[in-house]
Each structure stands twice: as structure tokens, then as C-alpha cells.
Amino acid sequence: MNLTEHFTLEELTATSHRQFDNTPNDAEMANLVLLAEFLEQVKAALDGKPVMINSAFRSKQVNDSVGSKDTSQHRTGCAADFKVPGMTPDAVVRAIIAAGLAYDQIIREFDAWTHISISDKPRRQALIIDRQGTRPFA
């Protein structure tokens, strides 16, 4: 089911932990629509390059199985982890910051993918998470 032109419910709820139900409730579904709309802005800011979703919505069971906290914005359908073919995560973060998008958090994670989240009060917090810990993106 398409949520927007380029993003589907299936890709925003896909999980390798298929033994767990990963079906969003109504509130989570509404957030996923907002997330998909925001990801369209991300795609536009990246000159239309593919935004390949690794992980977005996570039910409690899925979230627990990947070792994430209950406070993760993935739990509410407000976050996505993604890669962009032909771009490093560092370049993705820089392009999104330069575009002035109203993200809540953008995180270069382990220099392998980009995490982005949305909120009704976006903090525009840019971070790096890797083996050295968590620190501001610079």
C-alpha cells in the first residue's frame, strides 16, 4: 500500500524478525504517513536519489529483539534508518542539514546508514553514533 508516491507501508514496516507481528495501530499508522511525507522531502533534498529503508516502524517485540529502547522513535512510526546508493551517510546528513528540513534527529550511525526522525516540535539535533559513543555531528 502506497503511503506516498515513493514510500509504501510494506517498506516502512518490513522486518527480518518475521516471527513477531509488526502491524502498526491507528496512531502509529498516522505517524507513518507523516514519516513517508517527510521522506519525500528527504528524497527531494537528495536530488531524487533512491532512499532505501533499512528499518522504520518497530512493534515492541521487534524493537526489543533488536535491543533498542522503548523510547525509540521507531516504536511510534516517527523514525527511519536508510541508505542512499552512491552517497556516504556523512554526505546524506550534510545534504539534509543544508536543505533546512525540519527533522527531529538526524544521526550518522556507524558510518553505515542514516537515522532520521520527525516530531511536532523538531529539535534539529544532528549526531554521530559509533564505537566511540555519541557526539554532535560536525
Side-chain angles (χ1 to χ4, degrees):
M1 174 175 120
N2 277 32
L3 298 179
T4 61
E5 181 180 356
H6 298 104
F7 298 96
T8 67
L9 177 61
E10 291 76 17
E11 72 184 308
L12 295 180
T13 58
T15 179
S16 59
H17 301 276
R18 291 184 180 90
Q19 70 272 31
F20 300 126
D21 182 25
N22 202 41
T23 305
N25 65 29
D26 289 345
E28 295 158 347
M29 183 66 184
N31 287 340
L32 284 171
V33 171
L34 294 174
L35 179 63
E37 290 169 352
F38 184 77
L39 290 170
E40 292 288 353
Q41 294 176 47
V42 168
K43 184 175 178 65
L46 301 174
D47 297 322
K49 290 181 175 69
V51 174
M52 310 300 292
I53 305 298
N54 301 336
S55 177
F57 173 72
R58 297 183 195 143
S59 67
K60 176 155 178 49
Q61 287 180 309
V62 171
N63 200 59
D64 289 350
S65 72
V66 299
S68 189
K69 297 177 183 176
D70 281 339
T71 56
S72 168
Q73 288 173 295
H74 288 277
R75 282 284 300 113
T76 60
C78 291
D81 297 337
F82 64 95
K83 295 181 180 186
V84 178
M87 290 185 78
T88 65
D90 193 69
V92 169
V93 170
R94 290 188 190 288
I96 292 170
I97 290 171
L101 298 184
Y103 57 86
D104 188 49
Q105 285 186 317
I106 189 164
I107 306 171
R108 186 189 82 197
E109 293 195 41
F110 301 96
D111 208 21
W113 67 85
T114 305
H115 166 98
I116 199 157
S117 64
I118 58 171
S119 169
D120 58 353
K121 294 180 183 174
R123 296 175 285 174
R124 288 199 168 112
Q125 184 179 46
L127 301 169
I128 296 171
I129 295 176
D130 58 21
R131 290 189 174 134
Q132 297 172 24
T134 303
R135 60 193 179 280
F137 184 89

